[in-house]
Amino acid sequence: MCGSVRYEARGEPLVVGHCHCHSCRRHTGAPVVTLVAFTADRIRFTGRTRSIYNSSPSVKRAFCDQCGTPLTWEGFSRASNAEVIEVHISTLDDPARVFPTEHWLHDERIPWFDTADGLPRYRGKGAAGEEPYRHGPVEDGLPD
């Protein structure tokens, strides 16, 4: 928001997804969070050093200590077998250039919230062989 922390990501993202997990919602104060994932070696941070919060034993979340903007989810991805940094889509200079392809941890969503798209919904993060449990929004507003 304030521009103190900047980053550059090289190459195409691994995946772009909407995360409905309790932790992401708490980190941002939003009912859903859209993240763009890159392997950690493809992101370079510039400007002010981002602040890190260890939200669980293997997960870090970064934010700007000047304005409080949530910046990243950082951890190991089994799907890509690498350290991954997922940046919040709204921190991109041009968030319209990337498109979400799936929903993660959809069964953790707030029951009254869903998005009107036909994207696959996963109970996990859609990793290695996980099949979506549905496509499209829950129509009655309640979880399955």
Side-chain angles (χ1 to χ4, degrees):
M1 184 173 197
C2 70
S4 293
V5 178
R6 301 283 301 160
Y7 60 87
E8 298 171 359
R10 295 181 322 276
E12 292 299 311
L14 297 169
V15 66
V16 181
H18 298 298
C19 187
H20 297 264
C21 82
H22 177 77
S23 295
C24 281
R25 293 192 329 259
R26 296 280 299 216
H27 183 231
T28 61
V32 67
V33 175
T34 306
L35 298 160
V36 182
F38 295 91
T39 56
D41 62 344
R42 296 203 173 259
I43 294 187
R44 181 174 70 93
F45 287 88
T46 61
R48 188 173 184 87
T49 302
R50 68 198 188 282
S51 292
I52 301 286
Y53 170 69
N54 293 308
S55 64
S56 64
S58 60
V59 174
K60 299 181 284 189
R61 295 175 186 274
F63 62 96
C64 174
D65 68 0
Q66 295 297 293
C67 67
T69 297
L71 299 168
T72 66
W73 177 99
E74 302 178 29
F76 185 80
S77 167
R78 290 188 315 259
S80 53
N81 197 33
E83 288 295 319
V84 168
I85 297 177
E86 297 176 356
V87 296
H88 292 276
I89 195 169
S90 295
T91 66
L92 297 173
D93 288 336
D94 186 5
R97 289 186 45 220
V98 295
F99 301 90
T101 57
E102 56 197 51
H103 290 260
W104 305 319
L105 299 151
H106 188 257
D107 56 345
E108 289 187 34
R109 72 182 177 81
I110 297 172
W112 49 258
F113 183 85
D114 210 344
T115 59
D117 62 47
L119 298 176
R121 271 94 166 129
Y122 293 94
R123 287 192 165 87
K125 286 201 72 170
E130 180 186 3
E131 293 293 323
Y133 77 99
R134 71 177 304 116
H135 286 78
V138 176
E139 293 165 12
D140 63 5
L142 300 174
D144 289 341

